[in-house]
Amino acid sequence: MGPMRALTWLWRGARRLADARARSEIATRRRHRDRIHQDVTLTRIDRYPRLFAAARDLLADRPRPTLLSYGCSSGEEVVSLRGYFPDADIVGAELNCAMLAACARWPHDPRTRFLASDDAGVAAAGPYDAIFCMAVLQRRPHGVENEGRETIADFYPFALFDRQVAELAALLKTGGLLIVEHAQYLVTDASAAPLLEPVGDRGVWPAKGPRFDRDGRRIVPQPTIARLYRRRAA
């Protein structure tokens, strides 16, 4: 590494460490290395309006649904869901302690809870009528796409994704919805897929970003995928 490149690397590293959000991402990555998926906490209000609206319409027959925002970051997704589900009980779960603390800045809502994303706590707050798992089931997505990676098995194995889908499916009520966007593997490849039925044509369009098979190899051509799944009876 040349001196200028080394200086650039050190400057970028120092700048990143000076950023509280970045520091929290590094700490979370180290603390939860065996179970973390996406380790970047970027989010924004009403990020998925088509999917939120579709879920609202599909749950119209459930007057007070219980919803889970799995990987809620600093709470924007939970706040957005309240606009679509005014009568819901909403749970936001997050691994990153700093982001979980940031959720407290939102105005108090007696039917909203934020909690640490541990298995027991998330399960105790359920079962759920819908689980939103948005931009969670992936690792280094921008690097993977920009570098044209042909495999992700070495740093994001299918087994981690598969276990997570099974855990989320188990938390759903019969007929409940699992909504997944920006996953690098296919829900239809998961071992829990027999419990999850794609819901009609809503939420079905070409994948955003590359997708990979069970062996972590890039799927070509880019597949068309569903984002909304209904939980079948066991």
Side-chain angles (χ1 to χ4, degrees):
M1 181 183 295
M4 288 303 298
R5 187 177 176 187
L7 285 172
T8 300
W9 182 84
L10 287 170
W11 177 80
R12 288 177 178 171
R15 186 177 180 183
R16 184 170 177 81
L17 287 171
D19 183 277
R21 194 177 194 113
R23 290 199 304 273
S24 75
E25 292 170 357
I26 293 169
T28 303
R29 194 178 306 137
R30 290 174 176 169
R31 187 177 299 120
H32 302 287
R33 67 181 69 230
D34 295 331
R35 60 188 299 249
I36 195 170
H37 300 269
Q38 172 67 289
D39 54 13
V40 176
T41 59
L42 296 178
T43 186
R44 67 174 185 268
I45 289 287
D46 205 15
R47 191 175 178 184
Y48 307 101
R50 283 197 290 175
L51 294 176
F52 293 163
R56 175 197 60 202
D57 296 346
L58 291 166
L59 294 174
D61 61 341
R62 301 191 180 207
R64 187 174 174 174
T66 300
L67 313 179
L68 172 63
S69 171
Y70 191 77
C72 70
S73 187
S74 46
E76 283 80 355
E77 182 169 291
V78 170
V79 172
S80 300
L81 288 171
R82 174 60 69 208
Y84 292 86
F85 298 92
D87 300 320
D89 293 309
I90 306 178
V91 177
E94 175 57 45
L95 271 180
N96 185 310
C97 296
M99 292 301 99
L100 189 60
C103 293
R105 79 182 191 277
W106 296 104
H108 176 66
D109 179 347
R111 294 175 67 179
T112 292
R113 295 174 56 195
F114 292 103
L115 50 82
S117 188
D118 65 85
D119 295 342
V122 173
Y128 301 97
D129 295 283
I131 298 174
F132 295 83
C133 189
M134 320 298 277
V136 172
L137 301 178
Q138 56 181 347
R139 182 80 57 83
R140 307 176 195 167
H142 299 298
V144 167
E145 186 164 10
N146 294 338
E147 296 165 13
R149 294 284 299 246
E150 295 298 322
T151 180
I152 59 172
D154 55 335
F155 61 88
Y156 186 41
F158 177 78
L160 182 60
F161 166 87
D162 191 52
R163 182 172 71 244
Q164 188 66 76
V165 173
E167 290 174 359
L168 295 177
L171 296 175
L172 283 170
K173 299 176 184 178
T174 299
L177 300 176
L178 176 63
I179 304 96
V180 176
E181 177 62 303
H182 297 306
Q184 287 170 317
Y185 291 106
L186 304 181
V187 172
T188 50
D189 280 344
S191 57
L195 292 174
L196 299 167
E197 177 183 15
V199 182
D201 294 329
R202 299 195 69 170
V204 178
W205 54 79
K208 297 178 180 178
R211 293 297 183 272
F212 297 83
D213 65 17
R214 295 182 181 92
D215 295 319
R217 296 176 301 206
R218 183 187 287 256
I219 298 171
V220 179
Q222 191 88 331
T224 293
I225 61 170
R227 277 94 172 157
L228 294 110
Y229 300 85
R230 195 181 293 280
R231 171 71 152 82
R232 295 186 173 109

